[in-house]
Amino acid sequence: MQKVKLPHQVDPVKSAVKRSDYQGVIASKDMERLLGAVVNCDEWVDAEVQFIKDAQGLTVFHGHLATQVTLICQRCNGEFDYPLNVEFCYSPVQRSDEIDLLPEAYDPVEVDDHGNVDLLQLLEDELIIALPIVALHAEKDCALSKDDMTFGKIEPENERPNPFAVLKELKRDQE
């Protein structure tokens, strides 16, 4: 297998019949949504995609993605490198009612009218999902230590008289 640029569109059924294996790279400059979510990304995303027919005759493609991104630490606002390593496994479907027929191990992906899958968008989605919800350095690497972090104290609110106290007095008068 030769390291090449992966195609942006692929027909998974034809590729599975040929038992195609792709080992190559994707230019990160083509992944605009990923670039918008990170400070910086390596120039290339290493990708491996394998197309097969499983024992049930289903078309399946699975693989691995790897790249390095730079994120901003939400604790100290410093930049740090974060490795992204993603495993995926998909089975193409034509209609949404076919999704329930797939085994749980396979994620469904809808194909377009020509039977193609937008591989670039799908792999970009996988990388975005792999980003941490809150980007933080490891505590030992962070510029802020626990001692540097301060938390304010909330002053207790002044006690106000209960507006329903008048009703309580009226109830007592009736008894």
Side-chain angles (χ1 to χ4, degrees):
M1 289 186 288
Q2 180 181 4
K3 270 210 176 200
V4 294
K5 272 182 91 174
L6 264 60
H8 291 199
Q9 296 274 332
V10 68
D11 184 336
V13 176
K14 286 181 184 175
S15 296
V17 169
K18 294 180 195 174
R19 297 189 53 84
S20 297
D21 289 347
Y22 293 103
Q23 185 173 8
V25 292
I26 302 169
S28 63
K29 67 178 170 85
D30 295 336
M31 299 182 173
E32 293 176 13
R33 292 177 298 134
L34 176 65
L35 292 176
V38 300
V39 175
N40 192 18
C41 184
D42 282 354
E43 184 178 357
W44 301 104
V45 176
D46 293 325
E48 295 177 27
V49 184
Q50 187 176 42
F51 294 87
I52 59 170
K53 291 277 189 182
D54 72 355
Q56 296 175 339
L58 294 171
T59 300
V60 177
F61 61 99
H62 59 89
H64 177 79
L65 300 170
T67 192
Q68 182 101 358
V69 296
T70 303
L71 301 172
I72 294 179
C73 177
Q74 299 299 303
R75 188 175 14 224
C76 70
N77 286 330
E79 294 182 358
F80 69 101
D81 291 332
Y82 186 81
L84 286 179
N85 292 298
V86 180
E87 299 284 334
F88 59 89
C89 185
Y90 287 101
S91 183
V93 294
Q94 296 255 319
R95 299 177 314 275
S96 58
D97 60 332
E98 295 176 8
I99 293 173
D100 297 330
L101 304 175
L102 288 178
E104 285 186 27
Y106 304 149
D107 289 325
V109 62
E110 289 193 35
V111 296
D112 63 14
D113 296 337
H114 304 291
N116 291 331
V117 169
D118 188 347
L119 196 59
L120 175 68
Q121 182 178 352
L122 189 66
L123 299 182
E124 182 180 15
D125 289 345
E126 285 291 333
L127 289 171
I128 291 170
I129 290 171
L131 291 172
I133 294 172
V134 178
L136 296 172
H137 281 109
E139 279 194 40
K140 63 181 173 118
D141 298 332
C142 198
L144 287 178
S145 67
K146 283 187 177 182
D147 298 333
D148 296 333
M149 292 185 257
T150 58
F151 301 96
K153 293 183 181 176
I154 299 175
E155 296 293 325
E157 232 178 89
N158 293 334
E159 284 283 327
R160 293 185 297 172
N162 187 345
F164 298 104
V166 175
L167 296 175
K168 192 174 184 181
E169 294 296 323
L170 288 174
K171 187 176 179 183
R172 278 193 211 153
D173 292 343
Q174 288 178 351
E175 294 173 354

